[in-house]
Amino acid sequence: MGLIVQKYGGSSVADAEGLKRVASRIVATKKAGHQVAVVVSAMGDTTDGLIELAEQVSPMPNGRELDMLLTAGERISMALLAMAIGNLGHEARSFTGSQAGVLTTSAHGKARIIDVKPGRIVEALNDGAIAIVAGFQGVNQDTNDVTTLGRGGSDTTAVALAAALEADVCEIYTDVDGVYTADPRIVPTARKLNSVTYEEMLELAASGAKVLHLRCVEYARRYDLPIHVRSSFSNLEGTWVVKDHPEGANMEQAIISGVAHDKSEAKITIVGVPDRTGVAARIFQTIADTDINIDMIVQNVSAASTGLTDISFTLPKSDGLEATTILKAIQGEIGFHSLQYDDQIGKLSLVGAGMRSHPGVTATFFACLAEAGLNIEMISTSEIRISVIVREIDLEKGVKAAHTAFNLDGEDEAIVYSGTGR
Ligand code: ADP
Ligand code: ASP
Ligand code: MG
């Protein structure tokens, strides 16, 4: 008998039928002799719907109130799921993030988990009940306000809870059969990976492969907690996210584990920046002070005649308005010419530990993009990743080209069971 944490995403609990199907899966796990704690997301596209509603009443909704609104989505699904389990003759108790002891920073919309004190969950499990926890939310102890962890954050709730409960495994149930070599919605011939290391998954998640939330992978690595990503619509074995590939499992381990894409970023270019010591520090400190995460940065060589340079960087589109506003506020002090904002960009990344020992990956990548007619606007690399910025309309073409160029295409068509992929 073990302790299992299961997380069900929005597409798995999109309607009453979905909730009942998930309830039977949970009960089956319980009947097999395990203690089960479940983390659940809001039903279907509920979160998107709530955000749209908020924007209809205010173009820039207040962070505290937006979090209050969005946390309601997970409250609905957790209570309904507990009822569905009850209807199958098993006791289930639902808990909000706050009740489950998920303590976070105060940054509304992108709070980080500081600690999990799952006293009430342990109590429920010890009483023989199934505990259902609302994903994506927590509470800040200084303000006593509820917070959300950022889009897709229920994965992180699940892994953080699993770590706090010292669970044997965290199962993430979604609408595809595991982690694939690319998003199966874009590349139908993508192949399911049997295993992926924390290191590779971190890069994939950071590069936009939203099948797992980035911070959940960070958490799992810190606690060396295995994650099993699988579908709630099938009984197939999914993908294991672990420290090392199981021995012999990947004899033919490809150089590249996957291609990821991201349409959620925008690019800001600060034109005519005086090329002086301390200027870049001032610009990026100003942005960091507002909790905005910057991704790629490029600074051009300054023209000797003018002593001016251009700095471009990418950031989440959702932070674009705030970033341009604060930069305009320091324009006089820094003395740059102007700002350009471009939200029609896409990021394409190639991830694989094999890159370390295989020179030529970059050359093949750039050649296949050139052949597909894509212009590369920015480049960044890590030891096991290459990312480029291209036009957003070209992104999917680039993903397919890279997937084929690195021989990642499989024989069968990947199944996407449900969901809109929003
Ligand atoms: P959930 O609602 O269950 O959290 P998400 O929509 O957040 O589900 O994540 C699952 C989706 O992630 C899939 O439907 C797929 O479109 C997308 N995805 C992106 N990259 C990958 C990948 N490499 N492997 C599998 N799925 C991916
Ligand atoms: N419901 C939230 C979202 O749509 C959290 C999650 O699904 O993980 O982003
Ligand atoms: Mg998700």
Side-chain angles (χ1 to χ4, degrees):
M1 160 163 166
L3 199 169
I4 298 182
V5 172
Q6 300 186 330
K7 178 257 170 177
Y8 292 91
S11 49
S12 298
V13 292
D15 49 21
E17 276 319 303
L19 284 158
K20 289 201 275 191
R21 189 174 45 82
V22 164
S24 334
R25 279 196 92 117
I26 296 168
V27 167
T29 312
K30 174 83 180 142
K31 278 190 180 157
H34 302 290
Q35 288 188 306
V36 196
V38 175
V39 171
V40 70
S41 294
M43 294 170 70
D45 291 334
T46 299
T47 309
D48 291 293
L50 292 174
I51 292 174
E52 276 161 24
L53 201 54
E55 285 171 350
Q56 281 171 30
V57 297
S58 162
M60 266 181 93
N62 173 274
R64 178 186 184 277
E65 300 312 324
L66 189 60
D67 275 358
M68 205 60 133
L69 178 72
L70 297 188
T71 51
E74 270 72 12
R75 263 179 107 125
I76 294 173
S77 50
M78 74 177 194
L80 288 169
L81 186 56
M83 292 175 202
I85 293 172
N87 191 47
L88 297 176
H90 286 257
E91 194 200 341
R93 292 181 206 160
S94 67
F95 300 92
T96 63
S98 165
Q99 289 174 320
V102 180
L103 308 179
T104 73
T105 60
S106 59
H108 286 295
K110 50 186 158 190
R112 285 177 163 267
I113 296 179
I114 299 169
D115 199 4
V116 182
K117 297 196 165 134
R120 295 192 67 183
I121 308 303
V122 173
E123 197 180 289
L125 295 177
N126 288 344
D127 288 349
I130 293 163
I132 314 284
V133 176
F136 170 63
Q137 54 179 270
V139 66
N140 176 261
Q141 280 193 307
D142 300 327
T143 60
N144 272 326
D145 283 328
V146 296
T147 53
T148 63
L149 309 177
R151 300 306 308 271
S154 295
D155 299 338
T156 299
T157 306
V159 174
L161 182 66
L165 293 172
E166 296 181 20
D168 299 291
V169 57
C170 181
E171 297 182 329
I172 304 273
Y173 286 92
T174 183
D175 56 7
V176 288
D177 280 313
V179 180
Y180 283 74
T181 48
D183 186 341
R185 287 177 203 270
I186 291 183
V187 185
T189 51
R191 273 187 297 113
K192 184 174 80 183
L193 301 166
N194 293 327
S195 62
V196 60
T197 64
Y198 295 131
E199 187 190 31
E200 290 162 340
M201 195 62 229
L202 273 177
E203 294 280 11
L204 284 169
S207 305
K210 68 168 184 157
V211 62
L212 286 181
H213 194 232
L214 173 61
R215 290 215 289 280
C216 105
V217 190
E218 290 171 352
Y219 235 98
R221 178 169 69 168
R222 193 178 325 144
Y223 292 93
D224 199 6
L225 181 90
I227 302 178
H228 187 188
V229 182
R230 56 194 306 197
S231 166
S232 72
F233 299 85
S234 80
N235 282 313
L236 296 175
E237 177 87 359
T239 302
W240 284 88
V241 187
V242 284
K243 190 155 173 252
D244 297 304
H245 290 288
E247 210 156 313
N250 291 276
M251 291 299 282
E252 295 177 62
Q253 175 70 32
I255 301 170
I256 300 303
S257 34
V259 184
H261 70 282
D262 192 351
K263 294 183 181 173
S264 71
E265 293 190 353
K267 179 171 78 172
I268 290 181
T269 301
I270 314 176
V271 181
V273 183
D275 196 359
R276 277 196 319 266
T277 310
V279 169
R282 178 76 181 100
I283 290 172
F284 291 112
Q285 189 58 51
T286 306
I287 294 168
D289 287 345
T290 52
D291 257 335
I292 294 175
N293 268 324
I294 281 179
D295 185 16
M296 291 191 199
I297 304 176
V298 171
Q299 175 171 340
N300 287 339
V301 177
S302 65
S305 54
T306 59
L308 296 176
T309 183
D310 297 341
I311 297 179
S312 297
F313 63 90
T314 63
L315 76 174
K317 272 181 191 160
S318 50
D319 290 326
L321 187 59
E322 196 178 358
T324 45
T325 309
I326 56 166
L327 284 172
K328 277 186 192 140
I330 58 166
Q331 180 167 10
E333 178 199 331
I334 298 212
F336 59 82
H337 281 173
S338 56
L339 283 181
Q340 286 170 0
Y341 183 71
D342 179 357
D343 62 3
Q344 301 296 306
I345 59 162
K347 184 168 75 169
L348 173 53
S349 305
L350 204 57
V351 174
M355 257 183 225
R356 281 200 184 96
S357 48
H358 286 79
V361 169
T362 311
T364 308
F365 185 38
F366 288 3
C368 84
L369 296 183
E371 208 167 303
L374 268 67
N375 183 38
I376 299 171
E377 300 179 19
M378 290 169 102
I379 303 167
S380 89
T381 60
S382 84
E383 226 185 322
I384 65 162
R385 175 187 51 79
I386 310 169
S387 302
V388 296
I389 295 292
V390 296
R391 285 291 95 203
E392 186 175 329
I393 45 163
D394 289 335
L395 190 58
E396 297 192 3
K397 196 160 63 170
V399 173
K400 289 183 187 136
H403 197 265
T404 304
F406 286 91
N407 298 317
L408 296 173
D409 295 309
E411 308 270 286
D412 309 319
E413 190 143 316
I415 304 171
V416 178
Y417 293 92
S418 167
T420 56
R422 280 220 277 187

